[in-house]
Amino acid sequence: MKLFYSPASPYVRMVSALALETGQADSIERLPSAAGPVKRDASILAHNPSGKVPTALLEDGSALYDSRVICEYLDARHQGPRLFPAEGPARWQALTLFALAQALLDAALLARYESALRPEDKRWDDWLEGQLAKVDSSVAELEADWIDRLEAAFDIGALGVACALGYLDFRFAERDWRATAPRLAAWYAEVSKRPSLAQTVPQG
Amino acid sequence: MKLFYSPASPYVRMVSALALETGQADSIERLPSAAGPVKRDASILAHNPSGKVPTALLEDGSALYDSRVICEYLDARHQGPRLFPAEGPARWQALTLFALAQALLDAALLARYESALRPEDKRWDDWLEGQLAKVDSSVAELEADWIDRLEAAFDIGALGVACALGYLDFRFAERDWRATAPRLAAWYAEVSKRPSLAQTVPQG
């Protein structure tokens, strides 16, 4: 499989971390990209009209996206324990937690674009605060309602949460999410030692 | 199942349409909501930290989100033909097409917020154009590369595309996506007659 890649993207990191967790990292050929919400990358656009990373290309030439789909595809291809529970409440909880992590990241990326990409005179405080409020609510909910589950099992939901928190450290270190989430911080310190996460720390 | 609901949300429409396709509409109790990217709805926030619709509440009180997860959950609960293919290339193609529809909508919503919600003096043309370019590329790719598949089967990917195109009619009618996509327009005219789509036309 080929993978349009960015070392700063938390969504790409989810795919890379899952590939490492499931012993498939060597079967992925990384393709460099320059994706962004304003500048588009023509090489990605030829396969995915949103122009986003991650976008995968399969052996038959067909494209696969987005991060959720590529993660589930890779998880269906190995023989070890699955990160996506197959069915029942475990599946819906894991997928909901994964969606929470994705929504946290969607809000964090919009906050980042508002405060770093958009021209200063076009920034709107209400928008920035609305997105950051989603980030803060998500961290609070992880600490209050999901931490027992996170501590119990490392599945696709936990992998997604770890990548989301890693992005906060990468781009929002000054906001210190750990201050109000001590159990989540302790969990994150522990899971960050996993090779799948230690080898995919964001760069850019 | 209870469902936080908005009659204008294309993501909610996907859930409502799937419920109608699979004979489960009567088992869903709609909860009114006032979700938005700047004004947050406390009743949703108590269950989903992103504050977005759709958010579902199951009989045991647990929450389920987002639209992709709720759709797959509902599809696993009925006895008729499934809209999510179970495995193999059919599954990955359907999920990629569903992701394309979601990304089209994500871009369309951001364009809508930029041009209708954000104060006029804070609007950034490059951002608006970047999002609209994703919408246009998506429509072009549906017409060029997905139309044979759309015409062949109505699965979760097709349902997602129909809801995405319906949103363009609802909020971007003046852009006339049909002008450059005649086969897609003919397909959409036909599938729009399905009760699941005819009964969920967006309002707001």
Side-chain angles (χ1 to χ4, degrees):
Chain A
M1 188 174 96
K2 297 178 182 177
L3 185 71
F4 286 104
Y5 175 87
S6 159
S9 165
Y11 307 100
V12 170
R13 189 187 186 188
M14 293 177 184
V15 173
S16 300
L18 188 138
L20 284 160
E21 287 283 341
T22 61
Q24 299 178 87
D26 290 345
S27 69
I28 296 177
E29 177 189 347
R30 293 178 183 177
L31 303 176
S33 73
V38 173
K39 285 177 70 177
R40 313 185 77 205
D41 183 316
S43 60
I44 304 174
L45 279 174
H47 304 284
N48 175 354
S50 79
K52 290 182 178 177
V53 291
T55 293
L57 300 180
L58 304 186
E59 285 67 15
D60 68 359
S62 64
L64 204 68
Y65 47 84
D66 50 17
S67 56
R68 299 200 215 183
V69 179
I70 303 171
C71 282
E72 187 176 341
Y73 170 81
L74 285 175
D75 197 47
R77 289 210 316 175
H78 69 99
Q79 299 305 317
R82 296 287 165 93
L83 276 84
F84 284 75
E87 59 187 1
R91 180 171 179 85
W92 312 122
Q93 285 181 18
L95 292 183
T96 295
L97 182 57
F98 194 30
L100 188 163
Q102 297 263 356
L104 190 168
L105 281 172
D106 293 347
L109 267 283
L110 287 174
R112 166 90 181 156
Y113 295 146
E114 188 73 21
S115 56
L117 184 70
R118 183 178 288 263
E120 280 194 43
D121 64 327
K122 306 289 190 194
R123 295 176 189 171
W124 182 28
D125 285 346
D126 288 1
W127 179 264
L128 178 63
E129 287 164 17
Q131 301 304 331
L132 291 175
K134 294 186 186 198
V135 173
D136 293 347
S137 299
S138 297
V139 169
E141 170 133 344
L142 290 168
E143 175 80 5
D145 296 333
W146 290 94
I147 189 65
D148 289 342
R149 189 175 189 288
L150 287 168
E151 290 173 352
F154 192 82
D155 64 8
I156 189 62
L159 184 151
V161 169
C163 292
L165 296 174
Y167 185 77
L168 297 184
D169 283 348
F170 180 51
R171 294 295 195 201
F172 295 91
E174 78 289 354
R175 288 177 56 81
D176 190 13
W177 62 266
R178 290 172 179 79
T180 53
R183 277 184 73 188
L184 189 65
W187 171 81
Y188 181 68
E190 198 59 35
V191 297
S192 294
K193 299 173 187 166
R194 297 176 82 96
S196 66
L197 295 171
Q199 294 174 27
T200 57
V201 172
Q203 295 168 356
Chain B
M1 188 175 96
K2 297 178 182 179
L3 185 72
F4 286 104
Y5 175 87
S6 160
S9 165
Y11 307 100
V12 170
R13 189 186 187 190
M14 293 176 184
V15 173
S16 301
L18 187 137
L20 284 160
E21 288 282 343
T22 60
Q24 299 178 85
D26 290 344
S27 68
I28 296 177
E29 177 189 346
R30 292 178 183 179
L31 303 176
S33 72
V38 173
K39 285 178 68 176
R40 312 184 78 205
D41 183 315
S43 60
I44 304 174
L45 279 174
H47 305 284
N48 176 354
S50 79
K52 290 181 178 177
V53 290
T55 293
L57 300 180
L58 304 187
E59 285 67 16
D60 68 1
S62 64
L64 205 68
Y65 48 85
D66 49 17
S67 56
R68 299 200 215 183
V69 178
I70 303 170
C71 282
E72 187 176 340
Y73 170 82
L74 286 174
D75 197 47
R77 288 210 316 177
H78 69 100
Q79 299 306 317
R82 296 287 165 94
L83 276 83
F84 285 74
E87 59 188 359
R91 180 171 180 85
W92 312 122
Q93 285 182 19
L95 292 183
T96 295
L97 183 57
F98 194 30
L100 189 163
Q102 297 264 355
L104 189 168
L105 281 172
D106 292 347
L109 268 283
L110 287 174
R112 166 89 182 157
Y113 294 147
E114 188 73 20
S115 56
L117 184 68
R118 184 178 287 263
E120 280 193 44
D121 63 329
K122 306 289 189 193
R123 296 176 189 171
W124 182 28
D125 285 346
D126 288 1
W127 179 266
L128 179 62
E129 286 164 19
Q131 300 306 330
L132 292 175
K134 294 185 187 199
V135 173
D136 293 346
S137 299
S138 298
V139 170
E141 170 133 343
L142 289 169
E143 176 79 4
D145 295 334
W146 291 95
I147 190 65
D148 289 342
R149 190 176 189 287
L150 286 168
E151 289 174 351
F154 191 83
D155 64 7
I156 190 62
L159 184 151
V161 169
C163 292
L165 295 174
Y167 185 76
L168 295 184
D169 282 348
F170 180 50
R171 294 295 195 201
F172 294 91
E174 79 287 356
R175 288 177 57 80
D176 190 13
W177 61 266
R178 290 172 179 79
T180 54
R183 277 185 72 189
L184 189 64
W187 171 80
Y188 181 68
E190 197 59 36
V191 296
S192 294
K193 298 173 189 167
R194 297 176 82 95
S196 65
L197 295 171
Q199 295 174 26
T200 57
V201 173
Q203 297 168 355

